[in-house]
Amino acid sequence: MSEIARQPKRVPGAGRARVFSGVKPTGHLTLGNYLGAMRRWAVADQHRSEALFCVVDLHALTVEHDPARVRRLSRQAASLLLAVGLDPALCTVFVQSHVDEHARLTYLMECTAGVGEMRRMVQYKEKKKAAWEEGERGGGRLSLLTYPALMAADILAYGTHEVPVGEDQAQHLELTRNLAERFNRRYGRVFVVPRATHPPVAARVMDLQEPTSKMGKSAQVRTAGIVYLLDEPETVRRKVMRAVTDGCGDVVYDRGERPGVANLLDVLAACTGVADPAELAGSYGSYGALKTDTAEAVVELLRPVRERHAELAADPGYVDAVLREGAERARGMARPRVDAAYEAVGLMPAGG
């Protein structure tokens, strides 16, 4: 019998705020993903809230992609959500495309949104420009324009109260709020209007080779500055030891003037639980010692994640069972609200 089948069924906690977060399978998850969000999900969010964590695989289709790679990265992302400590007895872990209500509600959100407000999305402008530069005729897929409607559906389908957001997603969350309010005014109150939450400042992990750029999982060419969660220890050490620093020699925390050193101090502080990375600067007289300690701290932080992921990879039936039960639970939360939205806009219910 699968381990998930032996676990007691969770009864959602009445009165707890509902939180929705997701990861997009467009690349291997990184140290930045873990320190910036995933660790908080495991340590705090799943315990304090009615939490849903989703592999948002439909979002990976907005750009040119390899189907086999999307499928492989989706499974890897789901396994890593469990490996970092998400407990299916405490939260709901599932894959977006396994719950039809996401796609069903997306169309209603497209019917609620305006073309102008979609075109104003900063990420659409950036991705459209990138698509032109990469030679895609027409500046990319239509889904690049409409995917904020899918993002809104992800959130609104579950009656989500809180959405943890960073600066890069604040505009999309504001659009989601606008769409919920507009729909409710036109058709009656169906949706909870979610609020943005700004969790305690997490580690801001930058690329080790380009310390003024965020460490992103979608980089396809230059990966020397990106630490992936499943990197082998020697690979982690090599990347950290080759991190770009500054030519001044002394270890000073200054994000503006010394971004490379500041990034290493940020990472070391986040890995070791030091609240203020500037406090660590005085402990080091050379870059070499700082890099060595940072490398070992990252290796030790990721060791249990890699070990647990290896166990999960060896037991795909367990992961499948978690995702199957998670999708069933998510569907049960979403379907009544999406059905109510369909009825509110005037669509006939199935069977009459």
Side-chain angles (χ1 to χ4, degrees):
M1 180 182 292
S2 166
E3 182 181 339
I4 187 67
R6 292 196 297 268
Q7 292 179 345
K9 298 294 184 181
R10 181 174 71 82
V11 177
R16 293 196 300 173
R18 186 168 289 176
V19 174
F20 179 95
S21 293
V23 293
K24 187 162 59 173
T26 51
H28 299 286
L29 294 172
T30 73
L31 177 67
N33 297 127
Y34 180 52
L35 293 178
M38 295 170 72
R39 182 167 64 171
R40 184 186 67 249
W41 297 348
V43 172
D45 288 349
Q46 69 172 337
H47 298 282
R48 72 172 183 83
S49 61
E50 176 87 18
L52 298 100
F53 301 104
C54 180
V55 179
V56 287
D57 54 345
L58 295 176
H59 287 284
L61 310 186
T62 61
V63 295
E64 189 67 28
H65 64 278
D66 173 14
R69 185 171 187 267
V70 170
R71 192 175 300 114
R72 183 173 64 253
L73 289 176
S74 295
R75 170 169 283 278
Q76 184 185 94
S79 298
L80 281 169
L81 287 176
L82 300 175
V84 302
L86 293 184
D87 183 347
L90 297 175
C91 63
T92 301
V93 180
F94 67 106
V95 176
Q96 181 188 37
S97 64
H98 294 178
V99 180
D100 293 345
E101 281 62 34
H102 290 260
R104 290 179 62 207
L105 185 54
T106 295
Y107 184 67
L108 296 194
M109 293 298 99
E110 291 177 351
C111 292
T112 305
V115 174
E117 61 189 345
M118 288 293 196
R119 290 187 182 278
R120 286 193 294 272
M121 295 291 105
V122 172
Q123 287 196 16
Y124 165 67
K125 294 177 181 179
E126 293 174 347
K127 291 186 177 183
K128 179 182 177 182
K129 180 181 178 181
W132 275 111
E133 291 173 349
E134 292 171 8
E136 286 195 47
R137 296 178 62 184
R141 304 181 178 194
L142 176 62
S143 54
L144 277 178
L145 176 65
T146 62
Y147 87 94
L150 174 58
M151 187 176 295
D154 296 339
I155 296 166
L156 298 180
Y158 296 100
T160 303
H161 300 99
E162 298 179 4
V163 184
V165 293
E167 292 180 6
D168 58 337
Q169 294 298 333
Q171 189 184 32
H172 288 145
L173 194 277
E174 189 59 31
L175 175 65
T176 298
R177 287 174 51 83
N178 291 341
L179 294 180
E181 291 171 346
R182 188 178 306 155
F183 189 100
N184 289 347
R185 284 197 307 270
R186 290 177 179 175
Y187 307 113
R189 182 173 173 78
V190 173
F191 297 117
V192 174
V193 179
R195 62 182 178 273
T197 60
H198 304 282
V201 177
R204 187 183 177 204
V205 182
M206 312 303 278
D207 190 294
L208 295 173
Q209 292 298 313
E210 299 180 11
T212 58
S213 300
K214 185 178 176 182
M215 186 182 286
K217 66 179 181 297
S218 299
Q220 298 295 322
V221 181
R222 298 187 62 181
T223 61
I226 303 172
V227 175
Y228 297 105
L229 295 186
L230 297 180
D231 276 347
E232 294 290 336
E234 284 309 309
T235 300
V236 173
R237 293 186 181 100
R238 181 173 65 253
K239 289 179 177 179
V240 176
M241 295 304 294
R242 294 178 179 176
V244 168
T245 50
D246 313 288
C248 298
D250 55 330
V251 178
V252 176
Y253 186 83
D254 186 335
R255 271 199 166 278
E257 298 297 325
R258 313 282 292 281
V261 174
N263 189 37
L264 290 171
L265 290 167
D266 281 334
V267 171
L268 179 59
C271 291
T272 57
V274 175
D276 183 2
E279 292 180 1
L280 294 172
S283 304
Y284 293 94
S286 69
Y287 293 156
L290 172 60
K291 288 181 175 182
T292 298
D293 282 1
T294 302
E296 292 308 313
V298 173
V299 167
E300 291 307 311
L301 180 76
L302 297 185
R303 188 183 305 280
V305 176
R306 291 180 60 254
E307 291 175 351
R308 179 57 177 151
H309 180 269
E311 294 173 357
L312 293 166
D315 188 6
Y318 171 72
V319 176
D320 288 341
V322 168
L323 297 178
R324 186 166 51 250
E325 183 176 308
E328 180 181 353
R329 189 186 299 161
R331 197 175 300 116
M333 296 181 196
R335 180 165 293 171
R337 183 168 285 98
V338 176
D339 284 349
Y342 268 56
E343 181 180 355
V345 300
L347 299 178
M348 290 178 57

